[in-house]
Amino acid sequence: MFSKSNLLATLVGAVVMFFLGYLVWGIATVDFFEKHSSINAMKEVPDMGMIALSNLIAVFALSTLYGKWARGHHSLSQGFQFGVWIGVFTGLGLGLLNYGTTELMDLTGYMAEAVLEIVFYGILGAIIAFVYQKTASKE
């Protein structure tokens, strides 16, 4: 759990998650999601420390799961595939659950969010796999 590969993948992945997430949701898609949101639930000033901590915890969990899922065979394509399944779980599974139970966004917003999360977590999975590939002990 606390292997060199896992800890380095967590660190690199958390940095990527923080900055790529800001680029995607904080800059590139803000106007789109404003048009598809029912209410504005965003804080005026986000708590960047809490966002960084949540990214660190999330990527540690993803990296740990990836390490068990990959079983020592690390490649960018396998990492991307792993991340895509995480994105399907969060984007479609939880997104449609939220659509069915809340009034935060319309269906178009949730479907766009699902596509973004599938690609976002695919990229994150590939990065985690890349770090494992470069740092895992050779058998």
Side-chain angles (χ1 to χ4, degrees):
M1 179 188 283
F2 293 106
S3 69
K4 177 175 80 171
S5 294
N6 190 6
L7 294 176
L8 285 173
T10 297
L11 181 62
V12 172
V15 169
V16 170
M17 186 179 207
F18 185 85
F19 288 107
L20 184 59
Y22 176 70
L23 184 69
V24 171
W25 287 280
I27 296 174
T29 62
V30 171
D31 293 338
F32 174 84
F33 284 112
E34 281 180 1
K35 293 175 188 164
H36 294 281
S37 295
S38 303
I39 60 171
N40 182 4
M42 300 300 290
K43 289 183 174 184
E44 186 68 32
V45 178
D47 185 338
M48 299 309 257
M50 203 52 70
I51 293 170
L53 178 61
S54 73
N55 288 179
L56 191 63
I57 292 167
V59 176
F60 179 72
L62 290 174
S63 180
T64 301
L65 289 171
Y66 170 79
K68 294 179 184 311
W69 180 80
R71 297 186 182 145
H73 302 286
H74 309 292
S75 71
L76 291 176
S77 64
Q78 281 186 320
F80 187 81
Q81 181 184 29
F82 171 79
V84 162
W85 283 112
I86 298 298
V88 168
F89 171 72
T90 62
L92 284 174
L94 297 180
L96 291 175
L97 176 67
N98 284 332
Y99 178 72
T101 59
T102 68
E103 294 183 10
L104 295 174
M105 285 191 289
D106 61 20
L107 186 58
T108 301
Y110 279 112
M111 290 298 95
E113 178 70 18
V115 170
L116 287 172
E117 287 193 28
I118 289 167
V119 173
F120 179 79
Y121 284 106
I123 292 168
L124 197 55
I127 288 167
I128 290 169
F130 178 77
V131 174
Y132 265 83
Q133 185 181 47
K134 297 300 180 192
T135 60
S137 58
K138 308 295 183 227
E139 296 182 31

